[in-house]
Amino acid sequence: MTISIRRMVSQRIVEQGGAALVADYGHQGTDGDTLRAFCRHAQVDPLELPGTADITADVDFSLLKAQISSDCSWYGPVSQVTLSSS
């Protein structure tokens, strides 16, 4: 999502109620560049053989939090370990 869409969604939640759930692999601004590519279940160089691998990157949840409306409540992120031990 672009910054403006994230801000609009969070502002609508503040004004009209509701919630948003963001579920993805990520970090809190600590991991730097997380760009990776996978081909045939193996990690490969994302710049080799373009179009033949799936490209992925982790979500920076600290950046996401900074871009939502300041009036919107925020909980998380929550690790998979936390969820599985509950």
Side-chain angles (χ1 to χ4, degrees), residues 8-76:
M8 287 187 317
V9 168
S10 65
Q11 192 59 44
R12 183 168 289 188
I13 290 170
V14 169
E15 293 170 0
Q16 299 178 3
L21 173 66
V22 178
D24 206 340
Y25 291 102
H27 56 88
Q28 296 186 62
T30 56
D31 288 351
D33 185 13
T34 61
L35 180 68
R36 296 181 304 279
F38 292 89
C39 184
R40 296 187 178 117
H41 307 286
Q43 192 167 341
V44 297
D45 183 335
L47 301 177
E48 286 186 26
L49 302 170
T52 63
D54 294 324
I55 305 291
T56 186
D58 292 346
V59 173
D60 180 347
F61 285 103
S62 66
L63 180 62
L64 180 65
K65 183 177 181 179
Q67 295 171 347
I68 65 170
S69 169
S70 60
D71 297 328
C72 194
S73 297
W74 177 274
Y75 177 76

